[in-house]
Each structure stands twice: as structure tokens, then as C-alpha cells.
Amino acid sequence: MDTEELHLPLSRTANERLHAMIPGGAHTYAKGDDQYPDNLAPVISHGNGAHVWDVDGNRYIEYGSGLRSVSLGHAHPRVVEAVRRELDRGCNFVRPSIVEVAAAERFLATVPTAEMVKFAKNGSDATTAAVRLARAATGRTRVAICADHPFFSVDDWFIGTTPMSAGIPAETNELTVTFPYGDLAATEELLNRYPEDVACLILEPAAQTEPPPGYLAGLRELADRYGCVLVFDEMITGLRWSEAGAQGLYGVVPDLSTFGKALGNGFAVSALAGRRELMEMGGLRHSGERVFLLSTTHGAETHSLAASMAVLTTYVEEGITARLHALGERLAAGIREAAATMGVGDHVVVRGRASNLVFATLDEKGQPSQEYRTLFLRRLLAGGVLAPSFVVSSALDEADIDRTVDVVAQACAVYRKALDAGDPSPWLAGRPVKPVFRRQV
């Protein structure tokens, strides 16, 4: 058995302090120490570019930075300078700042399929505002979500559909229905099942697979025919698929769309965008009933909006989306070759668009395995790679990619030993990692 280990005494102490004061020990469930092997959850001291350092002094090549939000790398100079320019000018006022004008203009110029935009601080506020607006516009109550996409909001209309539905009334859950990705016939059947009762269809326009030919256009046609609002959740696809999001890449215009994550390169900013006719229902220049669309104290902090403008400019001027795809393609090819060479090509599987790679860890029977994921993560961490996914940032260079592939090859060698033994448990050194959405602790 490979005995090389990573020792994190200061991180272990910090994790205990976190759990003593913060439920779950983190402010995002996906960052919890249950997502990492036993006693191998690094607590971060700082980051720069594509690297982070933990409080024990270990350096890692980092993937999936900030849950996909830091796509330019940590402390990106252009973003930091834009933020710094605003900090001495005040960040929040009793009336809108002129920065809000500039940020809205920059966003709408980059995402020309949208006609109006409203900023917030997190993705959940934006998606919930889209749902509320769709219900107000249609007078309908049901929300149809794509069952194949993992997350839309922390709010009841979505969380009630997950295994962590404690505290959410059953009556609320009944108002959310699901449809499968890529299946227009099933979606039409759902709309027929609830005639004139579905307010919106909400989905990620693409995820681990490309949309089937004609699928998004078909959804657009179904939404028009059945009178519901089409909402694209572009939290992940926004910027990573193209500067104008997946809607810009695939040429299908939703009624509403939501952006976040990459939009601020780690600074808190999200956006709800869409057709003027709908968005204006949340405004002051119409004669209809008012809709409480978005109203957040910190939604227009000047430094976060400055960060978003710097991000959008950098993406456009430096061709960041193309760089993310090139890096991801190099990484995916290297990992697949390493896995195949070590005899685990059918068990360590890289999936998704090159700019948004994830991996699956499969057992002897080809089924997803938390035990084998634990083994794999342990070996990555021991090699200095922090990778809950293989989502790249543009700060990575070819040396980082090559080093990652070398570490993956070493991990795959251990993976092969466990497969041959028919039991990964000797390589786990503790409990397996756990899925985020589960009913019991």
C-alpha cells in the first residue's frame, strides 16, 4: 500500500474551531469537510493565481476555485485594481451610484440578448427573482425545473425537491415539478399535465452534455406555445461557454437568465437579465401591479460592480473563454491518457465541456462510488492538487496541467491496486466523502 500522506495539524484545529461556531463548519455545504477525506480538509490561508496555500503551509494547484467563481485566478491584477479604485470612494450610498450605470451598460453590451439587468449578491436571489417574476407575469403557480441539474437556489421552491427538505412545507414542494434534460416530448407531456398552470421552465442551458440538436430551440417553442417563461440559469455557463453565455453560443434567447460565479471573479455579484417587457414589471415605469423583483441592500456595492466590469472586459479583450477551453482540453486529454495507461480508463472518467470539467469515480461494477472518490482525492491532495472537480481557471499554465496529470497518474496507480483487491477501504484511512444533498448527517 502507498503510505505517502499529507499532514494537516493546523487545518484540523481550524476545522474544529469552525464547527464550534459555524453550523457545518463552512458557509457553503459544498465546501464542508465532509466533502474531503477524513482529516484531509485543508483550511486555506491565501491564494494567488491558480495556487492556494493552507494554514499548514502546503501549496496546491487548485481547480474549481471558489465553486467555479474565480475563473481568472486569485487576486487577478486587473480585477483587484478595479476594486481598489472604488474602495476609497465609498461602496454603498442612499441613492444609486454612477457605477451602476456603467456596470449595467457593460453587462448588456456583453450579453446583447438581454434588454435589462438587475444586480444582486448571490445566484439564489437572482433565480428566485426570476421565478417570482414568471409567476407574476403568467398568473400561474407551478415552477418546472430540470431534474438533471443539481442546484438552482437555496430557497424553498428548489430545496424542497432535494433530500434536505426539512423545514419546508409539503404544500410548497407540490408547486415544483420536474422535466428531464434533452427530452422535448416529456416536457410537453408535463405542460399538458398541468395546462395553464406552469409559470416557467428553468434549466441550465447546458451542463455535462451538449444540448441535443434543436433542443433549446424546441424549449423556446414549447414555452411560447404554452405561455410560460423560459429561464436559463447561466450561473455556470455564463462566460465559461462564451462571453455572452450559453444563449450567445447556441443562439437561443430565453425570456430571463441569471448570471453569477465567474461574473465577479470571487467578488459577490450576480445578475438577473432578460426581456424589457418582463423586467420592467419589477420597475416603476408601468401601469400594472408592482412586482417585488430584487431589492438588496448590498446588491450594488460599487467595488463588486467594478469587479464585474473588469471581468467582462478581461474576458472580451484577452479571449479568456478560448483559453479556458484550451487548458481544459489539454487537461482532459492528459487525464484520460493517464487513466487508460494505468488500466482505470473505465473507472476515472472526465466529463463535461472543456471549460467545466468534472470527474466520476466508478467502482468494479462501473457504479459511482464515494469510496473510490475518497481514495482518488487522498492521492490528489498528497500530490499537491486540490480538485473537487477539474474546472480550470485561466491562471493555470501548461506546467500546472502537466503536474496535475502526473499526480493523477500516481492516483490511478493506487486506484488500480484497489480495483484488483476488490476493496478500496484499506486506502481510505477513515470515512468516505459524502454527497452534499443527503437526508441524514
Side-chain angles (χ1 to χ4, degrees), residues 130-151:
V131 166
R132 185 184 305 116
L133 187 54
R135 282 172 161 162
T138 62
R140 301 174 180 181
T141 57
R142 293 190 191 274
V143 177
I145 67 173
C146 182
D148 300 302
H149 297 158
F151 189 80

Side-chain angles (χ1 to χ4, degrees), residues 285-308:
R285 297 187 172 184
H286 66 93
S287 58
E289 185 177 359
R290 294 191 71 189
V291 176
F292 193 95
L293 184 60
L294 273 170
S295 182
T296 55
T297 298
H298 303 290
E301 285 177 326
T302 56
H303 59 278
S304 290
L305 294 184
S308 75

Side-chain angles (χ1 to χ4, degrees), residues 54-140:
D54 66 25
V55 292
D56 293 280
N58 301 297
R59 186 179 85 155
Y60 306 87
I61 303 169
E62 186 196 37
Y63 292 89
S65 318
L67 303 181
R68 297 179 173 85
S69 67
V70 185
S71 61
L72 299 176
H74 298 290
H76 187 275
R78 196 166 186 173
V79 177
V80 170
E81 179 56 31
V83 169
R84 187 176 287 118
R85 282 198 301 268
E86 293 301 328
L87 291 180
D88 291 333
R89 294 165 53 84
C91 68
N92 208 338
F93 311 105
V94 75
R95 279 280 295 147
S97 161
I98 194 65
V99 175
E100 296 174 51
V101 177
E105 289 174 341
R106 182 69 53 81
F107 180 92
L108 295 173
T110 309
V111 187
T113 42
E115 295 175 331
M116 298 188 82
V117 62
K118 195 158 190 179
F119 295 109
K121 302 307 284 183
N122 64 72
S124 293
D125 284 349
T127 53
T128 291
V131 166
R132 185 184 305 116
L133 187 54
R135 282 172 161 162
T138 62
R140 301 174 180 181

Side-chain angles (χ1 to χ4, degrees), residues 330-341:
R330 183 186 181 98
L331 177 64
I335 291 172
R336 287 170 181 144
E337 181 179 359
T341 299

Side-chain angles (χ1 to χ4, degrees), residues 329-382:
E329 286 166 0
R330 183 186 181 98
L331 177 64
I335 291 172
R336 287 170 181 144
E337 181 179 359
T341 299
M342 296 298 171
V344 296
D346 293 331
H347 301 274
V348 175
V349 182
V350 180
R351 296 171 175 163
R353 194 172 182 86
S355 61
N356 188 52
L357 296 172
V358 298
F359 60 86
T361 50
L362 309 181
D363 64 14
E364 298 88 344
K365 298 178 181 179
Q367 297 301 308
S369 168
Q370 295 296 108
E371 288 77 13
Y372 277 100
R373 179 176 175 85
T374 307
L375 177 157
F376 191 62
L377 289 174
R378 288 191 74 87
R379 304 321 312 157
L380 293 184
L381 286 164

Side-chain angles (χ1 to χ4, degrees), residues 211-344:
Y215 173 64
L216 296 178
L219 277 183
R220 173 73 276 171
E221 191 276 330
L222 282 176
D224 291 339
R225 180 149 47 96
Y226 285 86
C228 53
V229 176
L230 180 61
V231 182
F232 282 176
D233 179 341
E234 297 242 36
M235 292 296 159
I236 294 173
T237 56
L239 296 180
R240 282 193 179 272
W241 263 240
S242 82
E243 291 86 356
Q247 59 195 278
L249 179 65
Y250 299 124
V252 175
V253 181
D255 298 301
L256 299 171
S257 55
T258 57
F259 288 74
K261 292 193 183 290
L263 186 57
N265 201 54
F267 287 92
V269 60
S270 63
L272 170 66
R275 290 197 293 117
R276 180 176 300 277
E277 175 188 356
L278 284 173
M279 294 287 288
E280 195 64 90
M281 291 179 67
L284 298 175
R285 297 187 172 184
H286 66 93
S287 58
E289 185 177 359
R290 294 191 71 189
V291 176
F292 193 95
L293 184 60
L294 273 170
S295 182
T296 55
T297 298
H298 303 290
E301 285 177 326
T302 56
H303 59 278
S304 290
L305 294 184
S308 75
M309 287 189 283
V311 168
L312 292 171
T313 300
T314 302
Y315 262 80
V316 172
E317 292 184 358
E318 298 184 15
I320 296 297
T321 304
R323 175 166 174 77
L324 294 175
H325 281 89
L327 289 166
E329 286 166 0
R330 183 186 181 98
L331 177 64
I335 291 172
R336 287 170 181 144
E337 181 179 359
T341 299
M342 296 298 171
V344 296

Side-chain angles (χ1 to χ4, degrees), residues 194-217:
Y194 300 103
E196 300 185 3
D197 198 25
V198 174
C200 64
L201 302 171
I202 181 168
L203 73 158
E204 295 179 52
Q208 299 313 312
T209 59
E210 287 293 291
Y215 173 64
L216 296 178

